Amino acid sequence: MGTLLACAARRLTTPAVRSADTGADWRDHAARAAAALAAAASPAGAPLAIDAPDPLAYAAHAIAALVAGRDVLLCHPHWTAAERATAERLRRAPAGAAGAPPRLLVATGGSGGALRFATHTPDTLEAAALALQSFTGGAPLNSLCLLPLHHIGGFQQLVRALATGGELLLADWHTVAAGRCPALPSVAGGWMLSLVPAQLQRLLGEPAACAWLRGFALILLGGAPAGAALLERARAARLPLAVSYGASEFAAALAVQPPAAFLAGADGLRPLPHAALRILDPDTAAPLPPGALGRIEAAATSLFLGYWPAPRPPGPFRTEDLGRLDSAGNLQVVGRADAAINTGGEKVHPAEIEAALRATGAFSEVLVLGLPDPRWGECVAAVFPAADAPDLAAVERMLRAALSPHKLPRRWCPLATWPRTPAGKTDRAALRRAASALH
């Protein structure tokens, strides 16, 4: 531990990170970034925003800044103007003096819906990388990355390569989805791939893509719930899938199912060696016995420091996820303890979308919920009284100006009768049943 920045500094001058499409590597980008950082007056001040459109430049700029002692904020290229304003306000928020170690800010929607940033250090990122290396047998972690680097699931593939002496190939998802799968060079330890369920669903439909997937040593699947039917298809295709449970707050994966266990049809995820999990009563926070359903609490050396700019209380992190541990300590993740929707690896909160829908003036009542979806894990569904008869095309135009694409409703559910409780409030349980029955 404590060697990530030294390893990264050395590897900025090597072709450790390359484009799978062009073969170009990150060295020129790293040299320009290092020169610009050296010319800066001081590492003090607000975190450096990384927003380069080229993934090679993005990776080089972020790592060079961390090596130079700068705090770094990973920007999402598809933020709305409002989200960019929020990010800029948080970036400039007072957070104490910068210094060693530098901090990395990773965006997460969180359970409250508002944009916020999980704060990590090189040590927390390295702890997660080394834990996964130990889980996979100790060989260097080489990854072909199809996930965006502004997500922890993408950026941590870069960290794993740097921390373990591996290589990183940056590939374009749309190219792969179109059937042009890059060749995998021969490397010690083989290649890893990380996918969200929507990507796996797309690739499973193509025999050539399935053959390509079988060439990986391990395929981490995470970011969103995966349906049973999707997992069965992957198992039938003999894919080396490693279903995982992770989050920005954990520096990606915290518990993983070994591919052999997945292929054997076993249940449960194994906590990585740097982590310890407990299941707590959602109401009392008392620890629960094996088999009991409750809220997942995590203790790990990769836990985030807090949501920028505030530190979190020391000790384990109590998540908003529901799960259970079996007698052998394997984890089964059941769902969310709050109302957050996890759609295709993006976490959204219904309240934000409901506010945008109400602002259109097209609905007398509206409620947003997540419905099971074989491709996205959950999809965003908007439920409203059928009598409103809104112009949905006009509504969607207004929403696109206010919400990021992953927050837009994918299903519209008009109900002839709006369910209410005896107290006159919307009966959410009845409404969910009615909306589910429409699809």
Side-chain angles (χ1 to χ4, degrees):
M1 286 288 293
T3 62
L4 175 61
L5 293 184
C7 292
R10 290 193 300 270
R11 305 202 70 200
L12 281 168
T13 60
T14 73
V17 180
R18 307 190 304 279
S19 166
D21 300 319
T22 68
D25 66 61
W26 70 343
R27 285 176 290 182
D28 286 345
H29 296 292
R32 287 194 292 270
L37 288 160
S42 166
L48 182 66
I50 305 297
D51 58 3
D54 177 2
L56 279 176
Y58 196 104
H61 291 183
I63 295 300
L66 290 171
V67 167
R70 288 293 303 268
D71 293 334
V72 166
L73 182 150
L74 301 180
C75 294
H76 191 312
H78 300 304
W79 277 334
T80 64
E83 288 169 329
R84 286 190 176 278
T86 299
E88 182 63 13
R89 176 178 56 79
L90 288 172
R91 187 177 76 88
R92 296 186 177 278
R103 295 161 290 188
L104 180 80
L105 281 60
V106 184
T108 174
S111 61
L115 181 65
R116 55 185 178 177
F117 295 94
T119 306
H120 281 281
T121 67
D123 280 352
T124 61
L125 300 173
E126 184 181 16
L130 297 182
L132 186 63
Q133 182 187 36
S134 175
F135 173 85
T136 57
L141 298 182
N142 309 292
S143 294
L144 186 139
C145 183
L146 293 176
L147 301 179
L149 292 174
H150 59 265
H151 279 189
I152 192 64
F155 195 83
Q156 194 62 11
Q157 293 179 61
L158 171 60
V159 172
R160 292 169 193 151
L162 298 177
T164 69
E167 298 180 23
L168 182 68
L169 286 178
L170 297 171
D172 177 64
W173 161 245
H174 298 290
T175 300
V176 172
R180 299 188 296 277
C181 300
L184 299 175
S186 178
V187 288
W191 290 93
M192 291 176 51
L193 181 69
S194 294
L195 297 174
V196 298
Q199 292 173 317
L200 178 62
Q201 175 90 12
R202 177 69 176 268
L203 295 177
L204 275 173
E206 299 294 335
C210 284
W212 180 70
L213 290 174
R214 284 191 286 270
F216 288 90
L218 180 145
I219 302 171
L220 277 175
L221 183 70
L230 178 63
L231 296 179
E232 279 302 320
R233 289 180 63 197
R235 192 174 289 116
R238 307 305 295 170
L239 301 186
L241 218 61
V243 181
S244 67
Y245 168 65
S248 299
E249 291 84 352
F250 310 146
L254 198 71
V256 181
Q257 184 181 40
F262 167 76
L263 291 171
D267 291 325
L269 314 182
R270 183 186 304 169
L272 293 179
H274 72 310
L277 302 178
R278 293 197 306 170
I279 304 298
L280 306 181
D281 185 289
D283 298 319
T284 67
L288 295 175
L293 181 65
R295 196 168 166 181
I296 300 170
E297 181 191 71
T301 50
S302 65
L303 286 182
F304 73 130
L305 277 62
Y307 295 111
W308 183 270
R312 71 175 184 87
F317 176 61
R318 196 171 300 168
T319 75
E320 295 293 341
D321 297 316
L322 293 174
R324 55 173 62 91
L325 292 170
D326 64 19
S327 58
N330 294 315
L331 174 69
Q332 179 187 10
V333 182
V334 175
R336 296 288 296 173
D338 61 5
I341 300 168
N342 195 326
T343 178
E346 297 279 3
K347 192 184 297 179
V348 301
H349 196 272
E352 180 185 12
I353 306 169
E354 289 167 0
L357 286 165
R358 292 191 192 99
T360 68
F363 304 95
S364 60
E365 298 271 6
V366 68
L367 190 140
V368 170
L369 46 80
L371 293 180
D373 185 273
R375 181 177 183 187
W376 302 102
E378 289 182 296
C379 73
V380 177
V383 191
F384 57 92
D388 287 347
D391 180 348
L392 293 180
V395 169
E396 288 178 342
R397 285 195 295 272
M398 288 184 275
L399 292 182
R400 289 191 192 99
L403 299 172
S404 295
H406 64 273
K407 298 178 182 178
L408 298 174
R410 294 184 181 274
R411 296 186 193 174
W412 298 97
C413 304
L415 297 186
T417 303
W418 194 259
R420 296 191 182 278
T421 67
K425 297 181 179 180
T426 297
D427 186 336
R428 288 177 174 262
L431 186 142
R432 177 177 287 276
R433 290 193 296 270
S436 297
L438 293 175
H439 296 276

Short mmCIF file of all heavy atoms in Angstrom, two decimals, residues 216-271:
data_model
loop_
_atom_site.label_atom_id
_atom_site.label_comp_id
_atom_site.label_asym_id
_atom_site.label_seq_id
_atom_site.Cartn_x
_atom_site.Cartn_y
_atom_site.Cartn_z
N PHE A 216 -12.02 -13.70 -22.54
CA PHE A 216 -11.56 -12.98 -21.34
C PHE A 216 -11.37 -13.96 -20.18
O PHE A 216 -12.11 -14.95 -20.05
CB PHE A 216 -12.56 -11.90 -20.95
CG PHE A 216 -12.55 -10.71 -21.88
CD1 PHE A 216 -13.37 -10.67 -23.00
CD2 PHE A 216 -11.69 -9.66 -21.65
CE1 PHE A 216 -13.36 -9.59 -23.86
CE2 PHE A 216 -11.65 -8.57 -22.51
CZ PHE A 216 -12.48 -8.53 -23.62
N ALA A 217 -10.41 -13.64 -19.33
CA ALA A 217 -10.21 -14.46 -18.13
C ALA A 217 -11.33 -14.24 -17.13
O ALA A 217 -11.69 -15.16 -16.38
CB ALA A 217 -8.85 -14.13 -17.50
N LEU A 218 -11.87 -13.04 -17.12
CA LEU A 218 -12.92 -12.69 -16.14
C LEU A 218 -13.70 -11.50 -16.66
O LEU A 218 -13.11 -10.57 -17.22
CB LEU A 218 -12.27 -12.37 -14.79
CG LEU A 218 -13.16 -11.97 -13.61
CD1 LEU A 218 -12.57 -12.53 -12.31
CD2 LEU A 218 -13.29 -10.47 -13.51
N ILE A 219 -15.01 -11.55 -16.50
CA ILE A 219 -15.89 -10.44 -16.90
C ILE A 219 -16.64 -9.97 -15.66
O ILE A 219 -17.54 -10.66 -15.17
CB ILE A 219 -16.89 -10.86 -17.99
CG1 ILE A 219 -16.16 -11.37 -19.23
CG2 ILE A 219 -17.80 -9.69 -18.36
CD1 ILE A 219 -17.08 -12.01 -20.26
N LEU A 220 -16.25 -8.82 -15.13
CA LEU A 220 -16.96 -8.24 -13.98
C LEU A 220 -18.29 -7.68 -14.46
O LEU A 220 -18.33 -6.88 -15.41
CB LEU A 220 -16.15 -7.12 -13.34
CG LEU A 220 -15.05 -7.50 -12.35
CD1 LEU A 220 -14.29 -6.25 -11.94
CD2 LEU A 220 -15.64 -8.17 -11.11
N LEU A 221 -19.37 -8.06 -13.80
CA LEU A 221 -20.69 -7.54 -14.13
C LEU A 221 -21.21 -6.78 -12.92
O LEU A 221 -21.32 -7.34 -11.82
CB LEU A 221 -21.66 -8.67 -14.48
CG LEU A 221 -23.06 -8.22 -14.90
CD1 LEU A 221 -23.02 -7.53 -16.27
CD2 LEU A 221 -24.03 -9.40 -14.93
N GLY A 222 -21.51 -5.51 -13.10
CA GLY A 222 -21.99 -4.71 -11.98
C GLY A 222 -22.64 -3.45 -12.47
O GLY A 222 -23.00 -3.32 -13.64
N GLY A 223 -22.81 -2.49 -11.55
CA GLY A 223 -23.38 -1.20 -11.91
C GLY A 223 -24.88 -1.12 -11.84
O GLY A 223 -25.45 -0.04 -11.76
N ALA A 224 -25.56 -2.27 -11.89
CA ALA A 224 -27.02 -2.31 -11.86
C ALA A 224 -27.44 -3.75 -11.61
O ALA A 224 -26.65 -4.68 -11.85
CB ALA A 224 -27.62 -1.82 -13.18
N PRO A 225 -28.68 -3.97 -11.15
CA PRO A 225 -29.13 -5.35 -10.94
C PRO A 225 -29.21 -6.09 -12.27
O PRO A 225 -29.63 -5.53 -13.29
CB PRO A 225 -30.52 -5.18 -10.32
CG PRO A 225 -30.56 -3.77 -9.80
CD PRO A 225 -29.68 -2.97 -10.71
N ALA A 226 -28.82 -7.34 -12.26
CA ALA A 226 -28.92 -8.19 -13.45
C ALA A 226 -30.06 -9.18 -13.25
O ALA A 226 -30.13 -9.86 -12.22
CB ALA A 226 -27.61 -8.94 -13.68
N GLY A 227 -30.95 -9.26 -14.22
CA GLY A 227 -32.08 -10.17 -14.12
C GLY A 227 -31.66 -11.62 -14.22
O GLY A 227 -30.64 -11.96 -14.81
N ALA A 228 -32.49 -12.50 -13.65
CA ALA A 228 -32.19 -13.93 -13.66
C ALA A 228 -32.08 -14.47 -15.08
O ALA A 228 -31.23 -15.31 -15.38
CB ALA A 228 -33.24 -14.69 -12.87
N ALA A 229 -32.95 -14.01 -15.97
CA ALA A 229 -32.93 -14.51 -17.35
C ALA A 229 -31.63 -14.13 -18.04
O ALA A 229 -31.06 -14.94 -18.80
CB ALA A 229 -34.12 -13.96 -18.13
N LEU A 230 -31.13 -12.92 -17.79
CA LEU A 230 -29.87 -12.50 -18.40
C LEU A 230 -28.72 -13.36 -17.89
O LEU A 230 -27.85 -13.79 -18.67
CB LEU A 230 -29.61 -11.03 -18.08
CG LEU A 230 -28.30 -10.44 -18.60
CD1 LEU A 230 -28.28 -10.46 -20.13
CD2 LEU A 230 -28.11 -9.01 -18.09
N LEU A 231 -28.69 -13.63 -16.59
CA LEU A 231 -27.62 -14.45 -16.02
C LEU A 231 -27.68 -15.88 -16.56
O LEU A 231 -26.64 -16.49 -16.82
CB LEU A 231 -27.72 -14.44 -14.50
CG LEU A 231 -27.49 -13.08 -13.82
CD1 LEU A 231 -27.64 -13.21 -12.32
CD2 LEU A 231 -26.11 -12.52 -14.18
N GLU A 232 -28.87 -16.39 -16.74
CA GLU A 232 -29.00 -17.74 -17.30
C GLU A 232 -28.46 -17.80 -18.73
O GLU A 232 -27.82 -18.77 -19.13
CB GLU A 232 -30.46 -18.19 -17.26
CG GLU A 232 -30.89 -18.73 -15.90
CD GLU A 232 -30.04 -19.92 -15.45
OE1 GLU A 232 -29.70 -20.77 -16.29
OE2 GLU A 232 -29.70 -19.97 -14.25
N ARG A 233 -28.74 -16.76 -19.52
CA ARG A 233 -28.21 -16.73 -20.89
C ARG A 233 -26.69 -16.67 -20.88
O ARG A 233 -26.03 -17.33 -21.68
CB ARG A 233 -28.77 -15.52 -21.63
CG ARG A 233 -30.25 -15.62 -21.99
CD ARG A 233 -30.69 -14.36 -22.73
NE ARG A 233 -29.98 -14.21 -23.99
CZ ARG A 233 -29.93 -13.06 -24.67
NH1 ARG A 233 -30.53 -11.98 -24.19
NH2 ARG A 233 -29.29 -13.00 -25.83
N ALA A 234 -26.12 -15.88 -19.97
CA ALA A 234 -24.67 -15.79 -19.88
C ALA A 234 -24.07 -17.12 -19.43
O ALA A 234 -23.01 -17.54 -19.92
CB ALA A 234 -24.28 -14.69 -18.91
N ARG A 235 -24.75 -17.79 -18.53
CA ARG A 235 -24.27 -19.10 -18.06
C ARG A 235 -24.35 -20.13 -19.19
O ARG A 235 -23.42 -20.93 -19.39
CB ARG A 235 -25.10 -19.53 -16.86
CG ARG A 235 -24.54 -20.72 -16.10
CD ARG A 235 -25.33 -20.99 -14.83
NE ARG A 235 -25.10 -19.97 -13.81
CZ ARG A 235 -26.03 -19.14 -13.34
NH1 ARG A 235 -27.28 -19.21 -13.81
NH2 ARG A 235 -25.73 -18.26 -12.42
N ALA A 236 -25.42 -20.11 -19.93
CA ALA A 236 -25.57 -21.04 -21.06
C ALA A 236 -24.51 -20.79 -22.12
O ALA A 236 -24.06 -21.73 -22.81
CB ALA A 236 -26.96 -20.91 -21.67
N ALA A 237 -24.07 -19.52 -22.26
CA ALA A 237 -23.02 -19.18 -23.22
C ALA A 237 -21.62 -19.46 -22.69
O ALA A 237 -20.64 -19.22 -23.40
CB ALA A 237 -23.14 -17.71 -23.62
N ARG A 238 -21.54 -19.92 -21.43
CA ARG A 238 -20.27 -20.27 -20.77
C ARG A 238 -19.33 -19.07 -20.69
O ARG A 238 -18.13 -19.15 -20.93
CB ARG A 238 -19.56 -21.43 -21.48
CG ARG A 238 -20.40 -22.68 -21.67
CD ARG A 238 -20.99 -23.19 -20.36
NE ARG A 238 -19.94 -23.64 -19.45
CZ ARG A 238 -20.18 -23.95 -18.16
NH1 ARG A 238 -21.41 -23.80 -17.64
NH2 ARG A 238 -19.21 -24.37 -17.38
N LEU A 239 -19.90 -17.94 -20.31
CA LEU A 239 -19.10 -16.73 -20.13
C LEU A 239 -18.50 -16.72 -18.73
O LEU A 239 -19.19 -17.04 -17.75
CB LEU A 239 -19.95 -15.48 -20.35
CG LEU A 239 -20.62 -15.33 -21.71
CD1 LEU A 239 -21.28 -13.96 -21.80
CD2 LEU A 239 -19.62 -15.51 -22.84
N PRO A 240 -17.23 -16.32 -18.58
CA PRO A 240 -16.58 -16.29 -17.26
C PRO A 240 -17.02 -15.07 -16.45
O PRO A 240 -16.23 -14.19 -16.10
CB PRO A 240 -15.10 -16.23 -17.62
CG PRO A 240 -15.07 -15.48 -18.92
CD PRO A 240 -16.31 -15.91 -19.66
N LEU A 241 -18.30 -15.04 -16.12
CA LEU A 241 -18.89 -13.87 -15.46
C LEU A 241 -18.55 -13.85 -13.98
O LEU A 241 -18.57 -14.89 -13.31
CB LEU A 241 -20.40 -13.91 -15.65
CG LEU A 241 -21.12 -12.58 -15.89
CD1 LEU A 241 -20.59 -11.94 -17.16
CD2 LEU A 241 -22.63 -12.82 -16.02
N ALA A 242 -18.24 -12.68 -13.47
CA ALA A 242 -18.01 -12.46 -12.04
C ALA A 242 -18.98 -11.37 -11.60
O ALA A 242 -18.68 -10.18 -11.72
CB ALA A 242 -16.56 -12.05 -11.78
N VAL A 243 -20.15 -11.78 -11.16
CA VAL A 243 -21.16 -10.81 -10.71
C VAL A 243 -20.61 -10.09 -9.50
O VAL A 243 -20.03 -10.71 -8.58
CB VAL A 243 -22.47 -11.53 -10.37
CG1 VAL A 243 -23.53 -10.52 -9.94
CG2 VAL A 243 -22.98 -12.34 -11.57
N SER A 244 -20.76 -8.77 -9.47
CA SER A 244 -20.13 -7.99 -8.41
C SER A 244 -21.11 -7.03 -7.76
O SER A 244 -22.13 -6.67 -8.33
CB SER A 244 -18.93 -7.20 -8.96
OG SER A 244 -19.36 -6.20 -9.86
N TYR A 245 -20.75 -6.62 -6.55
CA TYR A 245 -21.47 -5.58 -5.81
C TYR A 245 -20.46 -4.49 -5.48
O TYR A 245 -19.42 -4.75 -4.87
CB TYR A 245 -22.07 -6.14 -4.53
CG TYR A 245 -22.58 -5.10 -3.56
CD1 TYR A 245 -23.65 -4.27 -3.89
CD2 TYR A 245 -21.99 -4.94 -2.31
CE1 TYR A 245 -24.12 -3.31 -3.01
CE2 TYR A 245 -22.46 -3.99 -1.40
CZ TYR A 245 -23.52 -3.17 -1.76
OH TYR A 245 -23.99 -2.22 -0.88
N GLY A 246 -20.75 -3.28 -5.94
CA GLY A 246 -19.83 -2.19 -5.68
C GLY A 246 -20.52 -0.85 -5.76
O GLY A 246 -21.73 -0.77 -5.98
N ALA A 247 -19.75 0.21 -5.58
CA ALA A 247 -20.29 1.57 -5.60
C ALA A 247 -19.13 2.54 -5.65
O ALA A 247 -17.98 2.19 -5.36
CB ALA A 247 -21.15 1.84 -4.36
N SER A 248 -19.44 3.79 -6.01
CA SER A 248 -18.41 4.83 -5.98
C SER A 248 -17.82 4.95 -4.58
O SER A 248 -16.61 5.21 -4.43
CB SER A 248 -19.01 6.17 -6.40
OG SER A 248 -19.51 6.10 -7.71
N GLU A 249 -18.64 4.76 -3.57
CA GLU A 249 -18.19 4.91 -2.19
C GLU A 249 -17.17 3.84 -1.79
O GLU A 249 -16.42 4.02 -0.82
CB GLU A 249 -19.39 4.87 -1.24
CG GLU A 249 -20.30 6.07 -1.33
CD GLU A 249 -21.34 6.01 -2.44
OE1 GLU A 249 -21.28 5.07 -3.27
OE2 GLU A 249 -22.20 6.90 -2.48
N PHE A 250 -17.15 2.70 -2.50
CA PHE A 250 -16.23 1.61 -2.19
C PHE A 250 -15.01 1.59 -3.10
O PHE A 250 -14.18 0.69 -2.97
CB PHE A 250 -16.93 0.24 -2.36
CG PHE A 250 -18.25 0.09 -1.68
CD1 PHE A 250 -19.24 -0.69 -2.26
CD2 PHE A 250 -18.53 0.71 -0.48
CE1 PHE A 250 -20.47 -0.86 -1.66
CE2 PHE A 250 -19.77 0.56 0.13
CZ PHE A 250 -20.74 -0.23 -0.46
N ALA A 251 -14.91 2.51 -4.05
CA ALA A 251 -13.90 2.42 -5.13
C ALA A 251 -14.16 1.18 -5.97
O ALA A 251 -13.27 0.39 -6.26
CB ALA A 251 -12.48 2.43 -4.58
N ALA A 252 -15.41 1.02 -6.38
CA ALA A 252 -15.88 -0.06 -7.27
C ALA A 252 -16.17 -1.32 -6.47
O ALA A 252 -16.77 -1.25 -5.40
CB ALA A 252 -14.95 -0.28 -8.44
N ALA A 253 -15.72 -2.47 -6.95
CA ALA A 253 -16.21 -3.76 -6.42
C ALA A 253 -15.81 -3.97 -4.96
O ALA A 253 -14.67 -3.72 -4.56
CB ALA A 253 -15.68 -4.90 -7.27
N LEU A 254 -16.77 -4.48 -4.19
CA LEU A 254 -16.54 -4.82 -2.78
C LEU A 254 -16.75 -6.31 -2.54
O LEU A 254 -16.13 -6.89 -1.64
CB LEU A 254 -17.47 -4.02 -1.89
CG LEU A 254 -17.09 -3.92 -0.42
CD1 LEU A 254 -15.87 -3.03 -0.24
CD2 LEU A 254 -18.26 -3.39 0.42
N ALA A 255 -17.66 -6.93 -3.30
CA ALA A 255 -17.91 -8.37 -3.20
C ALA A 255 -18.12 -8.90 -4.61
O ALA A 255 -18.78 -8.26 -5.43
CB ALA A 255 -19.14 -8.64 -2.33
N VAL A 256 -17.56 -10.07 -4.89
CA VAL A 256 -17.54 -10.61 -6.24
C VAL A 256 -17.80 -12.12 -6.19
O VAL A 256 -17.32 -12.81 -5.28
CB VAL A 256 -16.18 -10.35 -6.93
CG1 VAL A 256 -16.16 -10.90 -8.35
CG2 VAL A 256 -15.85 -8.86 -6.94
N GLN A 257 -18.53 -12.62 -7.17
CA GLN A 257 -18.73 -14.06 -7.31
C GLN A 257 -17.67 -14.63 -8.26
O GLN A 257 -17.54 -14.16 -9.39
CB GLN A 257 -20.12 -14.37 -7.86
CG GLN A 257 -20.42 -15.86 -7.94
CD GLN A 257 -21.79 -16.15 -8.49
OE1 GLN A 257 -22.23 -15.50 -9.43
NE2 GLN A 257 -22.49 -17.11 -7.90
N PRO A 258 -16.91 -15.62 -7.84
CA PRO A 258 -15.92 -16.22 -8.75
C PRO A 258 -16.61 -16.79 -9.99
O PRO A 258 -17.71 -17.35 -9.89
CB PRO A 258 -15.28 -17.33 -7.91
CG PRO A 258 -15.54 -16.94 -6.48
CD PRO A 258 -16.87 -16.24 -6.49
N PRO A 259 -15.98 -16.67 -11.15
CA PRO A 259 -16.60 -17.20 -12.37
C PRO A 259 -16.97 -18.68 -12.27
O PRO A 259 -18.01 -19.10 -12.79
CB PRO A 259 -15.54 -16.95 -13.43
CG PRO A 259 -14.77 -15.77 -12.94
CD PRO A 259 -14.75 -15.93 -11.45
N ALA A 260 -16.14 -19.48 -11.61
CA ALA A 260 -16.46 -20.90 -11.49
C ALA A 260 -17.74 -21.11 -10.72
O ALA A 260 -18.54 -22.00 -11.06
CB ALA A 260 -15.30 -21.64 -10.81
N ALA A 261 -17.96 -20.32 -9.68
CA ALA A 261 -19.20 -20.43 -8.91
C ALA A 261 -20.40 -19.99 -9.74
O ALA A 261 -21.47 -20.60 -9.68
CB ALA A 261 -19.10 -19.61 -7.64
N PHE A 262 -20.20 -18.94 -10.53
CA PHE A 262 -21.30 -18.49 -11.41
C PHE A 262 -21.67 -19.58 -12.40
O PHE A 262 -22.85 -19.90 -12.58
CB PHE A 262 -20.88 -17.22 -12.15
CG PHE A 262 -21.80 -16.87 -13.28
CD1 PHE A 262 -23.04 -16.30 -13.03
CD2 PHE A 262 -21.44 -17.13 -14.60
CE1 PHE A 262 -23.91 -15.99 -14.08
CE2 PHE A 262 -22.30 -16.83 -15.64
CZ PHE A 262 -23.54 -16.26 -15.38
N LEU A 263 -20.67 -20.16 -13.05
CA LEU A 263 -20.95 -21.17 -14.06
C LEU A 263 -21.57 -22.43 -13.45
O LEU A 263 -22.31 -23.15 -14.12
CB LEU A 263 -19.67 -21.52 -14.81
CG LEU A 263 -19.12 -20.42 -15.73
CD1 LEU A 263 -17.74 -20.78 -16.25
CD2 LEU A 263 -20.08 -20.15 -16.88
N ALA A 264 -21.28 -22.68 -12.17
CA ALA A 264 -21.87 -23.84 -11.48
C ALA A 264 -23.29 -23.57 -11.00
O ALA A 264 -23.92 -24.47 -10.46
CB ALA A 264 -20.98 -24.24 -10.31
N GLY A 265 -23.78 -22.34 -11.18
CA GLY A 265 -25.13 -22.01 -10.76
C GLY A 265 -25.27 -21.65 -9.31
O GLY A 265 -26.39 -21.61 -8.77
N ALA A 266 -24.15 -21.36 -8.62
CA ALA A 266 -24.20 -21.01 -7.21
C ALA A 266 -24.71 -19.59 -7.01
O ALA A 266 -24.69 -18.76 -7.93
CB ALA A 266 -22.81 -21.15 -6.59
N ASP A 267 -25.18 -19.29 -5.80
CA ASP A 267 -25.62 -17.96 -5.43
C ASP A 267 -24.61 -17.34 -4.47
O ASP A 267 -23.85 -18.03 -3.81
CB ASP A 267 -26.99 -18.01 -4.74
CG ASP A 267 -28.10 -18.40 -5.69
OD1 ASP A 267 -28.03 -17.99 -6.87
OD2 ASP A 267 -29.03 -19.10 -5.26
N GLY A 268 -24.65 -16.02 -4.40
CA GLY A 268 -23.86 -15.32 -3.39
C GLY A 268 -22.55 -14.77 -3.91
O GLY A 268 -21.89 -15.36 -4.77
N LEU A 269 -22.17 -13.61 -3.38
CA LEU A 269 -20.94 -12.92 -3.74
C LEU A 269 -19.98 -12.98 -2.55
O LEU A 269 -20.38 -12.82 -1.40
CB LEU A 269 -21.22 -11.45 -4.09
CG LEU A 269 -22.40 -11.17 -5.02
CD1 LEU A 269 -22.51 -9.68 -5.29
CD2 LEU A 269 -22.27 -11.94 -6.33
N ARG A 270 -18.71 -13.16 -2.86
CA ARG A 270 -17.70 -13.28 -1.80
C ARG A 270 -17.09 -11.91 -1.52
O ARG A 270 -16.56 -11.26 -2.44
CB ARG A 270 -16.61 -14.25 -2.23
CG ARG A 270 -15.54 -14.50 -1.18
CD ARG A 270 -14.43 -15.35 -1.75
NE ARG A 270 -14.93 -16.61 -2.30
CZ ARG A 270 -14.20 -17.42 -3.04
NH1 ARG A 270 -12.95 -17.10 -3.37
NH2 ARG A 270 -14.72 -18.54 -3.49
N PRO A 271 -17.15 -11.42 -0.27
CA PRO A 271 -16.47 -10.15 0.04
C PRO A 271 -14.99 -10.23 -0.32
O PRO A 271 -14.34 -11.26 -0.06
CB PRO A 271 -16.68 -9.98 1.54
CG PRO A 271 -17.93 -10.77 1.84
CD PRO A 271 -17.87 -11.95 0.91
#
